[in-house]
Amino acid sequence: MDKLSLSTLGQHLQTLRRARGWSLSQLATAAGIAKSNLSRLEQGDGNPTLDTIWRLAVQLNVPFGTLVAPIKVPLGEDGVEVRLLDQGQDAPRVDAYWMRCAPHITRHAEAHSPGARESLTVVSGRLEAGPENEARALSAGDTLSFEADQPHLYRTHDTWATLLMTIVYTDTEAVP
């Protein structure tokens, strides 16, 4: 992530944390990350993984898209890139993402907030996706929906995979 995006994310994260009246220590402990890492992240000096950003969003009780909305570049690590396309303001809250996965990647995603539902439509390539013990093979044009409040995965084989993802947050408290 570029320096401007890191700074933007850090400022936004700090604003959300303070709006909830939480200290750095409280959020770091709840998200399972070191306080020093959270501090660096809020200062725009960190290098957060996608999992760290997801854990922070879950602990702040906001959709992932709310946390990354100010960032206009794809977030990525280890061959996976994700970019927020749009975020609805109605209830339930719906986030739409573009996602691209390199060949031979297995991305384990942590559970989203309770009641969250994820839908994937493969634009190009092939991958396996879904709950960890129930992943399905998908190719261009296929769509899969599943309960995302459990660990799930995305696994590619010999080709890149590009997909559109929507996450529906049924927990009304997730709307800031």
Side-chain angles (χ1 to χ4, degrees):
M1 194 180 321
D2 62 73
K3 189 71 176 161
L4 177 60
S5 296
L6 280 171
S7 177
T8 301
L9 175 64
Q11 291 171 4
H12 190 56
L13 175 60
Q14 185 177 67
T15 299
L16 290 170
R17 177 182 59 79
R18 287 182 173 168
R20 281 153 183 76
W22 287 18
S23 69
L24 274 170
S25 295
Q26 288 172 308
L27 180 55
T29 298
I33 63 174
K35 179 182 172 184
S36 59
N37 289 343
L38 179 57
S39 177
R40 281 195 305 276
L41 180 56
E42 285 192 0
Q43 294 170 15
D45 293 328
N47 188 19
T49 64
L50 292 173
D51 286 336
T52 296
I53 297 170
W54 275 109
R55 284 197 309 270
L56 289 167
V58 167
Q59 293 308 312
L60 289 167
N61 200 28
V62 297
F64 178 81
T66 296
L67 190 52
V68 301
I71 301 171
K72 302 304 177 200
V73 298
L75 301 170
E77 65 179 352
D78 301 329
V80 177
E81 293 181 330
V82 178
R83 182 175 55 225
L84 178 68
L85 297 175
D86 200 0
Q87 185 174 49
Q89 300 303 312
D90 298 326
R93 173 65 66 74
V94 179
D95 289 354
Y97 299 90
W98 167 90
M99 183 173 175
R100 188 161 189 235
C101 303
H104 307 290
I105 295 294
T106 299
R107 168 110 178 102
H108 294 275
E110 293 186 23
H112 302 318
S113 57
R117 190 152 179 80
E118 189 168 314
S119 294
L120 311 170
T121 299
V122 180
V123 175
S124 64
R126 287 184 259 224
L127 80 157
E128 294 171 44
E132 296 229 352
N133 296 326
E134 302 170 25
R136 285 195 21 216
L138 304 168
S139 58
D142 290 342
T143 297
L144 173 66
S145 294
F146 58 92
E147 300 299 325
D149 56 0
Q150 59 186 309
H152 47 285
L153 63 81
Y154 314 90
R155 179 181 303 129
T156 58
H157 297 284
D158 294 334
T159 63
W160 283 85
T162 302
L163 47 138
L164 297 175
M165 173 193 315
T166 58
I167 302 175
V168 178
Y169 295 93
T170 57
D171 183 353
T172 56
E173 292 182 81
V175 179

